[in-house]
Amino acid sequence: MADVTQNNKARTKAFLLKKAIEKSASRRKRMQITLNYLVSRRKRLLNVCFLSLVLVMTRANIAVTQNRSCRRLQRNTGWFDLVWSHYSDKRFKKTLRVSRETFNFILSRIRHILERDTVSEEPISPEFRLAVCLYRLSRGDYYYTIAEMTGLGVSTVCTICQEVTRAIVESMWRDTVSKHLPKAIEDFKRKMLDMEEMWQFPYCWAVIDGCHIPIKCPPGVCESCREYHNYKNCYSIVMMAMVDANCRFIWGSCGFPGNSHDAIIFQSTQLWSDIKDGHFIPQITRNLNEVLVPPLVIGDSAFPFQTWLMKPYGNAVLTLKQRYFNYRLSRARMVTEECYGQLKGRWRILLRKCESSKEEVRAATLACMVLHNVCIDRGDTMSKKLNLTIDPLTNQRRDRGRIRELLQMTSCDKIRDSCHQANVIRDALAEKFFVERETGEVC
C-alpha cells in the first residue's frame, strides 16, 4: 500500500514538472514572436521615414553635400561670431567704422561676388569676408595681426582683402562716385548753388586737390624708387580727386608715383581731355560785369590756369583785392581738407604705411573712396575723434598747415599763369568779392 502511494506522488511530480516546462517553453515562444514583431515594425518605420525624407528632399530639389576638409584643426571663427552676434551697435560701428545698416547695404551689393560654392572645404561666409576687409581698411593692421585675431591664415586674410576691395570698386564705383559727377545742366547748377551756399564761392561746381598715400619702397632699380620718393622723404602714390560742397568724391584717380606733379597727373586723365575738348562742361556762362564766367573748378597754384580752372594769385606783391580773392578761394578749398580728413580718419590704412604692394594700396584707396561716399549718402556719421581736421584736445579745427601736413596733402611747384582770358575772369571775381566785402551785400 505504501509503495502505491509513493508511486502516485512520483507520477504527480513528473506531471507537474512536465506542465511547468511546457508553459515556460510556450511563454518563451510568445516573447520571441513579440520581439520579432517589434523589430520588424521598427525596421518598417525607419524605412518609411527614410523614404519620406528622400521624397521631401527630392521635391524641394535640395542637394545634400558633405564638406570634406583636409584641415587637422577646425577653423576658429570666434572673433566674427563675437562681433556679429554679441557686439552692441555702438561697439560694432567702433570696430568696423560703419553701422550694421551700412554693413548690410554694402554686403547686399557684393554678396554675389563673395559667395563661394565648394565641396572640399567649408567656405568662409560673405559676412566674415566683408568684416575682415573693413577691419583691415579701418585699422591698417598687418595681415599677420588680423590672421591671429580672426583665426584665419595670413594668405587667406590677404586674399580676402584683395577680393573684397576689388568687388567694392567694380560693383559700387559707378553708383556711389561717378553718379555724383554732374552731366546735365541741372546737375551743374545744383552743384554750383550748393558751393555758393555752403562755401561762399559762386560759379564753382567742384574743388580739386591731391594727397599722398604711403607705400613701402617699390621693387626696381634706383630710377624706379626715385619716382615714388616724394618731398616728405617717404615713398607714396598720389590720390587726386574732385570734391563737391558736401564733402563727397565725384571723381578720383590714384596710382601715379609720389614724385609726380599735380598738373601732370591731372592732364594725364580722361576728364582733362573731355573738358579741354569741350564735351563735358555745358555752355551756361554767367555775365559778371560784362565778363562771361563758365562753371568753375578751383585748385591750388600747382594746377594749370584755365578759364574753367581757377587758382589763387601768385604775384610776389599782392593788392588788397587780390589777397581777399585768395582768402575766399582758400576758404572754399577747405572742403577738400575736410573730405580727406574724414576719409583718412575713418580708414586709417590710408594714413599709415603698410606692407602691401602699390597695386593693392591703389585698390584699397579707391575702395575707401567708395565707402566714404556710401557713409555720407546713408547718413552714417563718424565721431569727431576720428576726424583728423579736429584737434581732440581742444575739440577745435586744427591749423590749416598742420592739417595739410597730417593728411600728407600734395605740395608742388607753382605753374605760371599763361591764360589771358582766365586772368580776366579771375579779376572780375576778385572785384565782385571785394565789393561784397566793402558793402556787406552779395552782388
Side-chain angles (χ1 to χ4, degrees), residues 417-431:
D417 301 342
S418 58
C419 182
H420 172 72
Q421 185 60 29
N423 265 316
V424 173
I425 295 175
R426 185 170 60 181
D427 291 340
L429 289 171
E431 180 67 27

Side-chain angles (χ1 to χ4, degrees), residues 105-300:
F105 170 78
I106 299 171
L107 183 63
S108 65
R109 299 295 303 274
I110 62 175
R111 175 184 286 274
H112 63 285
I113 303 178
L114 302 184
E115 286 180 337
R116 297 292 184 271
D117 186 12
T118 177
V119 177
S120 61
E121 182 63 74
E122 182 181 359
I124 303 175
S125 65
E127 292 84 357
F128 198 173
R129 291 173 177 269
L130 180 57
V132 169
C133 181
L134 291 181
Y135 189 89
R136 159 76 172 173
L137 297 179
S138 62
R139 306 285 176 159
D141 288 347
Y142 290 105
Y143 289 133
Y144 181 84
T145 305
I146 300 177
E148 289 291 315
M149 179 185 66
T150 59
L152 303 175
V154 178
S155 60
T156 303
V157 173
C158 179
T159 303
I160 287 175
C161 293
Q162 294 177 19
E163 292 177 350
V164 176
T165 52
R166 191 183 309 115
I168 290 174
V169 175
E170 293 176 355
S171 300
M172 303 180 66
W173 180 271
R174 181 182 300 275
D175 295 334
T176 57
V177 179
S178 299
K179 179 183 71 174
H180 298 291
L181 185 65
K183 299 174 179 63
I185 294 178
E186 293 301 324
D187 297 335
F188 278 93
K189 290 182 178 179
R190 184 166 54 253
K191 294 290 184 184
M192 290 189 291
L193 182 61
D194 291 342
M195 200 69 193
E196 185 172 4
E197 291 180 350
M198 301 177 66
W199 299 94
Q200 291 77 51
F201 200 97
Y203 317 118
C204 173
W205 60 275
V207 185
I208 187 171
D209 210 339
C211 72
H212 292 279
I213 308 297
I215 61 172
K216 65 180 181 181
C217 180
V221 294
C222 296
E223 289 76 8
S224 176
C225 296
R226 192 179 300 114
E227 290 181 355
Y228 291 90
H229 193 267
N230 59 35
Y231 73 101
K232 291 182 177 293
N233 198 27
C234 66
Y235 297 98
S236 67
I237 57 176
V238 177
M239 167 190 171
M240 182 168 291
M242 281 186 177
V243 180
D244 64 6
N246 298 304
C247 296
R248 266 192 307 245
F249 293 108
I250 63 176
W251 173 86
S253 173
C254 183
F256 280 85
N259 199 24
S260 303
H261 196 280
D262 286 351
I264 297 177
I265 297 176
F266 190 34
Q267 290 174 343
S268 302
T269 62
Q270 184 62 40
L271 181 62
W272 170 272
S273 302
D274 294 340
I275 296 177
K276 288 291 290 183
D277 294 340
H279 300 154
F280 188 81
I281 299 179
Q283 301 298 324
I284 50 173
T285 58
R286 295 187 184 181
N287 194 324
L288 179 60
N289 297 329
E290 299 183 356
V291 176
L292 297 180
V293 181
L296 301 175
V297 176
I298 59 177
D300 59 18

